Amino acid sequence: MTIQWFPGHMAKAKREVEEKLKLVDFVIELVDARVPKSSQNPMLQDVLADKDKLVLLMKKDLADPEVTKEWEDHFDHLGTPHLAVNVQEQKDIQTLIKKAKTIGEQKLERLTQKGVKPRPIRAMIVGIPNVGKSTLINRLVNKKIAQTGDRPGVTKSQTWMKVKKDFELLDTPGILWPKFEDEEVGLKLAAIGTIKDQLLHLDDVAVFVLKFFKQYYPAQLKERYGINLDAEDIVSWFDEIGKKRGCLASGGMIDYEKTADVIIRDLRTGKLGLFTFDRP
């Protein structure tokens, strides 16, 4: 299965990112700490190849902290500046500003040596939809400038703003790539709500979630639903969960669509516990 989703405003945003790159000193790339690899836009990696970059592992409070540490070690090994962030933690925001200033000042110092006049540090913020970009920006500028929402694709245009007196930030819309060749990437992004629910069958996504949790987080799965994990038949898991959560159709039959919705909602709201889909 190949998932394709590339609205016109995203194609336009990609072109604008390419055009504006020469105006900024470095790029702040946001990825979701639960899917650090799957939420890295491969199309953007080509565009950003020669630009200094700071990778932010967003929503660290929802991710498995042990796996987040593995990802931080991975980025250390690559020599890529990075930071795991919970936007509700003021110390994380302050650490981010300090780190961004350091990267920007190093770049400006090199430009000054080439005769460029002093100016504010400029950074571009990029990432896929629903990664927490607008919320982060509002915390950085300390007021509500960027529109936020729990659905992908809220930001539609590029906007410059000032972060205190430290640097200027260019916001960009979340950009997905034209198609997901790897079905698992699509399932992971659909599970956490990065792509619209209408693009995939939610029961396929729920099955993926259950299988993944059985392999990596069986105790959390059992604690939430009390299902028999020894049973190999996924349908029996749906039956158990559906009965316990009252997902019934007429005649007392299990409503599998409602059951899938319960599983995905539990995952997104943290009721299944902390998790990370991607391993470095």
Side-chain angles (χ1 to χ4, degrees), residues 52 106-118:
D52 289 338
Q106 290 170 349
K107 179 67 183 291
L108 285 185
E109 191 177 330
R110 294 196 296 269
L111 291 174
T112 302
Q113 290 170 356
K114 294 179 181 177
V116 176
K117 290 181 181 179

Side-chain angles (χ1 to χ4, degrees), residues 11-132:
K12 180 186 174 190
K14 175 182 176 281
R15 289 194 303 271
E16 290 182 348
V17 165
E18 291 174 311
E19 291 167 5
K20 297 285 177 64
L21 262 182
K22 58 181 175 292
L23 302 178
V24 301
D25 303 308
F26 67 102
V27 171
I28 301 174
E29 182 184 19
L30 275 55
V31 298
D32 191 306
R34 297 166 294 178
V35 283
K37 176 64 176 172
S38 298
S39 59
Q40 264 198 324
N41 186 335
M43 184 179 70
L44 274 184
Q45 302 315 305
D46 294 336
V47 174
L48 306 175
D50 299 323
K51 208 74 181 176
D52 289 338
K53 186 165 71 171
L54 170 61
V55 175
L56 298 189
L57 294 151
M58 299 289 289
K59 305 184 183 181
K60 73 172 185 182
D61 50 311
L62 302 179
D64 182 334
E66 291 183 11
V67 185
T68 298
K69 179 64 171 65
E70 291 176 18
W71 276 105
E72 290 181 302
D73 292 342
H74 170 74
F75 285 117
D76 278 337
H77 179 71
L78 294 177
T80 303
H82 58 86
L83 185 67
V85 174
N86 172 4
V87 293
Q88 304 308 325
E89 293 284 346
Q90 187 58 30
K91 67 178 188 300
D92 284 0
I93 300 299
Q94 294 305 319
T95 302
L96 165 57
I97 291 173
K98 186 177 178 181
K99 201 160 191 136
K101 273 187 70 176
T102 300
I103 295 171
E105 285 169 354
Q106 290 170 349
K107 179 67 183 291
L108 285 185
E109 191 177 330
R110 294 196 296 269
L111 291 174
T112 302
Q113 290 170 356
K114 294 179 181 177
V116 176
K117 290 181 181 179
R119 58 164 175 73
I121 296 165
R122 294 177 188 150
M124 177 188 289
I125 191 164
V126 300
I128 64 174
N130 212 26
V131 78

Side-chain angles (χ1 to χ4, degrees), residues 151-262:
R151 68 191 190 281
V154 172
T155 306
K156 291 289 193 293
S157 62
Q158 296 183 334
T159 310
W160 282 101
M161 60 205 76
K162 286 190 176 181
V163 179
K164 297 183 178 177
K165 295 179 181 178
D166 299 313
F167 59 92
E168 295 175 353
L169 192 62
L170 177 62
D171 182 20
T172 61
I175 308 172
L176 282 172
W177 51 109
K179 57 184 177 181
F180 306 124
E181 303 285 359
D182 184 344
E183 180 182 356
E184 195 167 280
V185 168
L187 290 168
K188 289 173 181 177
L189 295 180
I192 63 172
T194 298
I195 58 178
K196 294 179 180 178
D197 288 341
Q198 298 90 328
L199 290 175
L200 282 167
H201 294 295
L202 289 186
D203 49 353
D204 290 338
V205 179
V207 166
F208 167 77
V209 169
L210 292 177
K211 286 181 175 179
F212 182 88
F213 268 72
K214 182 190 177 184
Q215 182 175 354
Y216 290 101
Y217 304 106
Q220 292 171 208
L221 196 59
K222 197 166 183 65
E223 181 182 350
R224 180 64 183 164
Y225 300 125
I227 57 179
N228 175 20
L229 295 179
D230 293 330
E232 292 298 324
D233 182 11
I234 292 285
V235 174
S236 69
W237 296 2
F238 267 73
D239 288 341
E240 280 191 72
I241 295 168
K243 284 176 188 172
K244 288 174 181 174
R245 299 298 294 274
C247 301
L248 303 175
S250 58
M253 300 290 289
I254 300 297
D255 186 325
Y256 292 113
E257 193 172 315
K258 280 186 182 176
T259 305
D261 187 60
V262 162

